[in-house]
Amino acid sequence: MSMRRSSACVLGVVIAWALAGCTDAVWADTKVLFAPLRHLRSGATREWSDFPEQSAGDRLTVSFSAEANTAPQTLTLRQQDVKQRWSLVLNGRPLAKLAPDENDLVATVTVPAGALKSGANTLVIEAGSQAPDDIWLGDIRLDPRPPSEALAAATVKVEIISAETGKPLPGRITIVNADGALAALANVSNATHAVRPGVVYTAEGLAEIRLPLGRYTLFAGRGFEYGVARAEVTLESGDVVSKQLAIAREVATPGLVSCDTHCHTFTFSRHGDATLAERLVTLTGEGIELPVATDHNLQVDYAPAAAQAGLLKYFTPIVGNEVTTRVGHFNVFPLAAGGSIDHNGRSWREVFAAIHQAPRAQVIVLNHADDVHSGFRPFGSARHIELTGEDLDGWKLEASAMEVINSGALRTDPLELVRGWFGMLNAGVKLAPVGSSDSHDVCRSIIGQGRTYVRVRDDDPGHIDIAAACESFRHGRVMASLGLLAEITVDGRHGAGDLVPAEKSVQVSVRVSGPSWTQVEHVALYANGVLVRAADLGGAAGSSPGLKWKNEWTVELAKQDVYLVAVARGPGVREPFWPIAKPYQPSSPDWKPYVLGISGAVRIDADGRPGFSCAKEYAQACWQQANGDLPQMMHLLAAYDESVVSQAAGVLRIAGHGPFEPALLDALRSASPVVQGGFHAYQAAWRISQAARSKSP
């Protein structure tokens, strides 16, 4: 992901910040400076449709009276949906910046000694850019005490334990106040805790959380595979309350290792806010067993720091590199620590030539293919036809995997990247599906929220066989997950990455798993990217913990090889312990959060010839057999599915028969409905591509 978060200037504020107490907290000398939540907007365009059409402008000015302060005081305010730069200016002098965090939180800023004047004072909160950003801001209060006193009136001792063994477990503790905003913490990060407003990750299952007075809700969890425990507390001055929260393992993953192929730190990437020490704690707390360090154009080894912190028993780190170029971002692993890869290439040929020179490199992942970075979008319509995986500039993608889920840069359309993956598979590019978090932060984007499950021995997380894991990536023995896990089995024994010999039909079993706090509403089975089976489950049908849904379908086969993929979807998590973030580069102001589970592809060898043939190979064979005869081409294509037909349209275009050529249209009139449908789909994709290409510089 691009270096989009200007957190170098915010990091100190974020770490020093905690959240203000809830509205019913009793602070004797606290002064309310501005009570309501006010809608502000930077830029002229409404960012999200759930905000009012009209805003109160791009700044809030609050005038108040105070006494000059000879010691630090505490300013608190509640913020929601902050993405861009917003500055706080007190009496004409910069005070702080709002943390770029879309979560609902009450932020705390230290007011330095001498910043207040006796009499009239003015606080201005204003946008720092014209980039679209709708935010809510208000409940601004001034406490005469420094944060170390204002935020530490009481203590909650929290222990996360395993419901099965009773022993402490690493995890995440989330604390919200009575208004539902992430709550005030006096704690700071250390070797075993990563702390942000309303969030404490603990590597040992224990935390003493210091809070202002008030009512709070505490949640404890350990990422996707565990349930969430909840407790309520009401704190008065001097209280010391103990809470033991038991969480159960809800998602069984035998023989699967949880992997995040896209992990960043502020320490090395210099944006985001997670230091290396905090990243190690968050990986432990979210249950990631195989993290890949992918700081921008650097090759970092987490192992020495993890060993020093005593955390290597929880995961096996891999040295990787997000090769960040002008023509896309590529995660490469495993690599030698401290090495480098030339990232100055201006074409994929140059970039991949440099990557192939890196010793040890086995896996190359195309990252966020539909995002724009440095003005370049790998799968943008101006240069790429999603339907058929055609690169209109003739560039060859030499990757072994691609992100179909990136929880730090979600797409508005949950299946946008999946369709791009299908197009590449139909074009013969063998890519494993990857889920990743692309997290640069402690909790703005959650590490391991998007993750990949890799088929490899998982009995010892601290000693995972990296070579075997990379082999599984290269062969597609993986599944991508964002709150759901979709597994596919063919004829009772073949799974993702396998090649299955078959004749007339196959029995396809699909299992969808997830914790109690996610749901599955829709499950689809695709053959060569074409929907062949679907199940709509409705509301609570997919709410159970663990195995949420299972079914078996019979799929009839033509004399054509196909790959099968299962995709499960459900509503996004909105609870504060695992919220699904809004898209980084939205394609619409309308946003409906979602969870996804995407199986790897199972290849079915049904044509009686050894090996697997992709859709494009069948299309090329038909054209060769037709020997330039377009009506004969249409006749031959009738034996195949839409994926082959769409590929054939691309093959004909390259051969000089454009999608709207009169002779081609004449031949198409007498073609079968499937053939017509495949060509019409290509024609629509071609129109979109040409319109985008005409606008490109």
Side-chain angles (χ1 to χ4, degrees), residues 43-353:
T45 305
R46 182 168 59 159
E47 184 184 18
W48 303 109
S49 59
D50 58 354
F51 277 82
E53 290 188 12
Q54 299 299 321
S55 75
D58 63 357
R59 69 170 55 197
L60 174 65
T61 301
V62 179
S63 298
F64 62 97
S65 61
E67 297 295 328
N69 63 320
T70 58
Q73 295 190 11
T74 303
L75 183 75
T76 65
L77 56 88
R78 187 176 178 186
Q79 66 172 67
Q80 298 175 2
D81 233 306
V82 175
K83 181 176 180 180
Q84 304 298 339
R85 299 190 304 274
W86 293 81
S87 299
L88 285 76
V89 179
L90 180 60
N91 294 326
R93 301 182 63 178
L95 179 64
K97 296 184 185 298
L98 296 183
D101 193 326
E102 290 84 351
N103 288 305
D104 181 0
L105 59 88
V106 184
T108 300
V109 180
T110 299
V111 179
L116 295 172
K117 303 183 297 184
S118 293
N121 292 262
T122 302
L123 174 69
V124 177
I125 303 174
E126 58 189 357
S129 75
Q130 287 300 303
D133 197 15
D134 279 299
I135 73 169
W136 290 102
L137 188 69
D139 194 17
I140 304 173
R141 304 176 183 221
L142 182 65
D143 189 296
R145 299 169 293 178
S148 59
E149 296 179 20
L151 305 181
T155 299
V156 181
K157 295 182 177 180
V158 181
E159 182 181 25
I160 306 175
I161 64 168
S162 164
E164 291 82 13
T165 67
K167 295 181 180 180
L169 275 178
R172 167 176 161 145
I173 303 164
T174 306
I175 312 101
V176 298
N177 66 18
D179 294 326
L182 291 170
L185 308 182
N187 301 62
V188 295
S189 297
N190 56 35
T192 56
H193 297 84
V195 180
R196 288 295 181 275
V199 174
V200 177
Y201 279 97
T202 168
E204 51 194 11
L206 304 170
E208 292 192 9
I209 303 172
R210 289 169 290 148
L211 296 156
L213 313 183
R215 293 186 292 115
Y216 299 96
T217 302
L218 283 66
F219 302 91
R222 192 168 186 248
F224 167 72
E225 297 174 21
Y226 284 80
V228 171
R230 172 179 176 151
E232 309 283 340
V233 295
T234 299
L235 301 177
E236 298 182 359
S237 182
D239 278 353
V240 178
V241 177
S242 295
K243 291 290 181 180
Q244 188 178 75
L245 299 175
I247 58 175
R249 178 72 176 265
E250 293 186 343
V251 182
T253 58
L256 296 174
V257 164
S258 56
C259 175
D260 192 339
T261 62
H262 203 158
C263 306
H264 289 278
T265 66
F266 173 81
T267 302
F268 298 103
S269 284
R270 307 310 296 173
H271 63 114
D273 67 30
T275 65
L276 174 58
E278 290 172 326
R279 176 55 70 229
L280 301 178
V281 175
T282 57
L283 287 167
T284 303
E286 290 291 335
I288 291 298
E289 299 162 315
L290 194 65
V292 184
T294 54
D295 284 298
H296 295 283
N297 299 321
L298 294 171
Q299 295 170 199
V300 178
D301 189 359
Y302 288 172
Q308 186 175 4
L311 301 180
L312 274 183
K313 62 183 176 181
Y314 295 112
F315 55 79
T316 300
I318 298 178
V319 177
N321 182 341
E322 183 171 19
V323 184
T324 307
T325 79
R326 299 177 182 88
V327 290
H329 296 189
F330 305 90
N331 283 342
V332 182
F333 60 91
L335 296 168
S340 64
I341 295 174
D342 183 5
H343 59 277
N344 295 307
R346 295 180 177 271
S347 69
W348 283 358
R349 181 183 60 79
E350 295 174 355
V351 169
F352 290 122

Side-chain angles (χ1 to χ4, degrees), residues 332-613:
V332 182
F333 60 91
L335 296 168
S340 64
I341 295 174
D342 183 5
H343 59 277
N344 295 307
R346 295 180 177 271
S347 69
W348 283 358
R349 181 183 60 79
E350 295 174 355
V351 169
F352 290 122
I355 291 174
H356 292 320
Q357 292 177 11
R360 306 185 189 179
Q362 298 179 44
V363 179
I364 304 171
V365 183
L366 170 62
N367 296 342
H368 38 67
D370 280 312
D371 283 355
V372 179
H373 296 293
S374 302
F376 184 87
R377 182 182 173 198
F379 281 8
S381 298
R383 62 177 316 277
H384 180 87
I385 298 180
E386 174 190 86
L387 178 69
T388 53
E390 291 178 72
D391 190 292
L392 299 179
D393 295 327
W395 292 13
K396 181 181 178 183
L397 180 63
E398 299 179 40
S400 46
M402 71 169 279
E403 290 179 343
V404 295
I405 296 172
N406 181 317
S407 58
L410 286 176
R411 304 300 299 168
T412 303
D413 178 353
L415 298 184
E416 184 175 6
L417 287 167
V418 177
R419 290 194 301 270
W421 175 48
F422 288 161
M424 297 303 291
L425 294 180
N426 286 331
V429 183
K430 190 175 181 181
L431 297 170
V434 164
S436 74
S437 73
D438 198 357
S439 175
H440 298 67
D441 316 288
V442 168
C443 62
R444 181 189 182 188
S445 57
I446 299 172
I447 196 74
Q449 190 170 47
R451 59 177 65 188
T452 305
Y453 278 94
V454 187
R455 185 71 64 186
V456 68
R457 284 188 59 178
D458 65 334
D459 52 306
D460 185 356
H463 295 87
I464 294 167
D465 188 332
I466 294 176
C470 292
E471 182 77 3
S472 284
F473 269 104
R474 291 198 304 275
H475 287 278
R477 296 191 287 266
V478 298
M479 288 149 279
S481 171
L482 174 67
L484 295 172
L485 178 62
E487 299 177 81
I488 184 171
T489 305
V490 174
D491 289 343
R493 61 187 184 279
H494 301 288
D498 288 348
L499 178 62
V500 183
E503 293 183 358
K504 296 181 179 179
S505 66
V506 289
Q507 295 297 117
V508 182
S509 174
V510 177
R511 296 166 44 97
V512 181
S513 304
S516 53
W517 40 271
T518 67
Q519 297 179 27
V520 56
E521 291 182 338
H522 182 81
V523 182
L525 180 68
Y526 295 88
N528 277 12
V530 178
L531 181 66
V532 293
R533 298 287 188 278
D536 286 307
L537 310 183
S543 300
S544 59
L547 180 61
K548 293 180 176 293
W549 184 86
K550 181 179 179 180
N551 197 22
E552 189 168 278
W553 286 306
T554 299
V555 176
E556 303 296 331
L557 301 173
K559 287 297 183 180
Q560 171 190 340
D561 296 348
V562 296
Y563 62 84
L564 300 175
V565 172
V567 177
R569 284 184 287 163
V573 180
R574 297 181 184 271
E575 285 81 5
F577 54 79
W578 213 74
I580 300 294
K582 290 179 176 177
Y584 161 56
Q585 293 183 357
S587 57
S588 167
D590 301 320
W591 165 239
K592 185 177 181 180
Y594 52 81
V595 291
L596 277 177
I598 304 166
S599 77
V602 182
R603 290 169 173 79
I604 311 298
D605 182 9
D607 64 4
R609 298 192 297 270
F612 183 83
S613 298

